[in-house]
Amino acid sequence: MPENVLDVHDLDVRFATEAGTIHAVRDVSFSLTRGEVLALVGESGSGKSATAMSLTALNRAAGNTRVTGSVRLHGRELMTLSERELRDVRGAQVAMVFQDPMTSLNPVRRVGDLIAEVIRAHDPVPRRAAARRAVELLHEVGIAEPGRRAELFPHQLSGGMRQRVLIAMALALRPAVLVADEPTTALDVTIQAQILRLIRVLRAEHGTSVLLITHDLGVVAGLADRVAVMYAGRIVETAPTSAILASPRHPYTAGLLESIPRIDHPRSARLPSIAGQPPTLQDDDPGCSFAPRCRSAHEACARRPVLSDGIACHLPGGRR
Amino acid sequence: MAGAELTGQATIAGPWRLALRRLRRNRVALAAGASFAVLVAICTVGAPIWVALVAHHGPEYENLSGSISDGGRVVPVVADDGTPIGPGWRGAYLLGADANGRDLLVRVLYGGRTSLVIGLGSAALCLTLALSLALLAGYRRGITDTVIARGLDLIWSFPVYLLAVAIATVLAVNGVHLGPIEIPSDSTLIPIVVIAVVYVPYAARPLRGEVLALREREFVEAAIAHGAGAWRTMTRELLPNVLNTALVLLALIVANNILTEAALSYLGVGVALTTPSWGNIIEAGASSIVTAPMLTIAPGVMIVVAAVSLNVLGDGLRDALDPHGVVRVDR
């Protein structure tokens, strides 16, 4: 068993809002080994992004958020670090690739400067050296004519190139963990494939562990080694990608997979969907959060199932 | 791979160069900028040259009993009834003299130095303070922002001139004694500081709003996620995005501050009377506005030229720096 790069244990995130406390992430635990790609899958509001933001306490500055639990990077606890110590971790050891390359780049600065900025935030290298390194990184993420393109402003680049720039920024300091929050959602399908290939190559070259946050199961199939499915703030199922795609055990996972149109299946009149709405994350009901929408719910589901052996369900496999 | 060929310099032009290009197409703004530059040049470089080559006396030289030859006749600089000589086509006293027999043109030129230094200096100070407060409030948000924003409201709630007169009066009487900082009561630093402070909200409030909006943008979040600290986030991410607004404000504030200097000096709480400034010259000449109107007209025209040219330039800058600008240059 290889040593874990990242260990998350009992992560719990609550936001205080005017409408009451939102319990966004509930007892989430997972780990990442070196070079592993773990996909965190779930619908909007299931707590994926809140989990990602909590890893380096990015949501701590917002006064209304309370995060508890443990996040260990190479065995070092991050939750108790000061803001100053965290600054050295962010970007250098745990880096993020954001969802929207249109808005995640400072519009008034040249992309080369943006990358150099990340380097200089951690490493007091001379301006020139940082600029040279930025060009190398642009080359590394597959941007042609990197020297010329480093001089460009974000609006002069296409969406795919901007996403490459974001990845170059994230990789500038060779982080151990790359958190990619919906890295392909804002891109065309063809560009998506390029970006996924790029992440795969970089992972192989540098042994970077990747926490991939997505609701796109196609992306999961193409990139992830392992999948953790989140529902209402909890991980309800976790398994190797091939296993979960072939034989989902949790009824929610099964429902998710059924709701994807597939090119090799006969086209039915209607795409199946999961009836009902996900629960509001305010009140913590004692039973299974998915029970109200579950086809196989029964009496036992009034008690909350615990995650054991990669699944949190009283009736794994369900009854058809 | 998306590999469109990059051709020509045009692709690389940044927002500043694009703005400059737009500004260059705006003839009115260019003319305004040029006239302000000329004004600065004649007051800084032109004044000593004029004194050395033509007038042969400085701004403080009093000539109460002397006389000069004017078109063949010899006339006193200041007549027996106290009326100073008016403008005439001659070297010295081209615009006439004031009641103390001092050369009006020389005084207007040297007074322009004072007025411009105060206008530019206080605008620079004002904008520095405003940018610092706006960045701090917008970056920290929460309680810091509340304190700064309410503080600005407090200053803004006073009528500008009333506040300026009040502060200037106190400082002009006592000077400033703050630990190692010692400013004598007749220093031009006092009007600079006073004018800068009373206009801080004028610049800080719109800037704060912009920073608050920028703070919510994803690229700021991304910078923090990449390990940028407070200073780096404020100076490298937020500041470059508000510099265009700051530049427009700078031009408008300089114009405004030149006017304020004149007003305060006219009220006797601006520049010390021993130093000529446009406001001081008007103040001294106001009592003889009927007999020697040039004493108020000459510095008045200078103030108008400075203020109008800067305002027009500021408008041009605003058009040029507007990223959505299709630019109104088709005039």
Side-chain angles (χ1 to χ4, degrees), chain A residues 26 234 279-280 283-290 292 304:
Chain A
R26 309 172 181 201
R234 287 198 177 80
T280 62
D283 27 53
D284 207 0
D285 55 283
C288 173
S289 307
F290 188 61
R304 179 179 315 129

Side-chain angles (χ1 to χ4, degrees), chain A residues 191-220:
Chain A
I191 310 295
Q192 276 188 17
Q194 291 174 13
I195 296 293
L196 293 180
R197 201 177 310 133
L198 174 66
I199 294 178
R200 230 173 4 236
V201 168
L202 294 170
R203 189 257 309 238
E205 278 176 13
H206 305 297
T208 313
S209 309
V210 181
L211 181 63
L212 177 72
I213 294 171
T214 185
H215 57 249
D216 185 339
L217 291 164
V219 171
V220 171

Side-chain angles (χ1 to χ4, degrees), chain A residues 109-115 131 134-135 138 143 145-153:
Chain A
R109 306 198 55 204
R110 294 169 196 272
V111 295
D113 292 345
L114 287 171
I115 300 170
V135 174
L138 285 175
I143 289 184
E145 292 192 78
R148 300 278 308 271
R149 289 218 159 85
E151 298 293 312
L152 296 180
F153 288 85

Side-chain angles (χ1 to χ4, degrees), chain A residues 53 103 106 117 122 142 156, chain B residues 1 11 218 221 226 232 241:
Chain A
M53 299 292 274
T103 59
N106 193 335
E117 193 67 44
H122 294 278
Q156 293 165 321
Chain B
M1 175 154 326
T11 346
E218 223 173 25
E221 185 131 29
H226 284 133
R232 196 170 279 272
N241 280 287

Side-chain angles (χ1 to χ4, degrees), chain B residues 189-275:
Chain B
L189 274 178
I190 288 185
I192 288 179
V193 171
V194 170
I195 296 170
V197 167
V198 296
Y199 282 113
V200 160
Y202 175 81
R205 286 167 26 128
L207 288 172
R208 165 186 167 263
E210 278 198 33
V211 176
L212 275 175
L214 285 167
R215 183 69 175 80
E216 304 296 326
R217 298 271 294 272
E218 223 173 25
F219 67 84
V220 177
E221 185 131 29
I224 295 170
H226 284 133
W231 175 254
R232 196 170 279 272
T233 309
M234 283 192 271
T235 56
R236 304 290 167 82
E237 305 296 331
L238 298 171
L239 180 62
N241 280 287
V242 293
L243 273 185
N244 53 352
T245 309
L247 190 66
V248 173
L249 283 170
L250 182 70
L252 300 177
I253 290 176
V254 172
N256 193 50
N257 288 3
I258 289 174
L259 292 172
T260 309
E261 180 278 321
L264 290 182
S265 295
Y266 184 78
L267 295 171
V269 289
V271 183
L273 281 173
T274 47
T275 316

Side-chain angles (χ1 to χ4, degrees), chain B residues 49-142:
Chain B
I49 294 178
W50 180 261
V51 166
L53 298 182
V54 185
H56 303 301
H57 47 231
E60 310 293 347
Y61 174 76
E62 298 186 358
N63 192 358
L64 276 169
S65 52
S67 49
I68 55 167
S69 101
D70 182 21
R73 291 179 302 125
V74 173
V75 289
V77 173
V78 182
D80 291 340
D81 61 354
T83 308
I85 190 170
W89 198 243
R90 53 195 173 245
Y93 303 105
L94 185 67
L95 292 180
D98 69 3
N100 290 322
R102 293 177 293 198
D103 190 324
L104 179 59
L105 178 60
V106 174
R107 280 184 75 72
V108 166
L109 292 180
Y110 276 90
R113 287 181 164 198
T114 316
S115 292
L116 291 171
V117 162
I118 291 175
L120 292 166
S122 61
L125 180 62
C126 173
L127 216 57
T128 310
L129 291 172
L131 272 174
S132 313
L133 289 172
L135 286 174
L136 197 62
Y139 174 76
R140 296 290 305 255
R141 301 179 287 196

Side-chain angles (χ1 to χ4, degrees), chain A residues 1-78:
Chain A
M1 182 86 187
E3 195 201 332
N4 287 342
V5 174
L6 186 75
D7 269 306
V8 176
H9 194 70
D10 284 346
L11 189 70
D12 204 272
V13 181
R14 291 165 201 259
F15 308 110
T17 68
E18 279 169 20
T21 304
I22 303 290
H23 197 169
V25 179
R26 309 172 181 201
D27 306 325
V28 163
S29 304
F30 60 87
S31 57
L32 266 176
T33 56
R34 193 180 132 80
E36 184 182 33
V37 179
L38 172 66
L40 217 48
V41 180
E43 57 199 290
S44 308
S46 59
K48 302 170 305 212
S49 292
T51 303
M53 299 292 274
S54 303
L55 296 184
T56 52
L58 279 170
N59 42 18
R60 188 155 75 179
N64 62 349
T65 310
R66 223 188 73 218
V67 183
T68 58
S70 155
V71 177
R72 283 170 186 277
L73 181 70
H74 293 301
R76 180 189 184 205
E77 179 61 56
L78 299 185

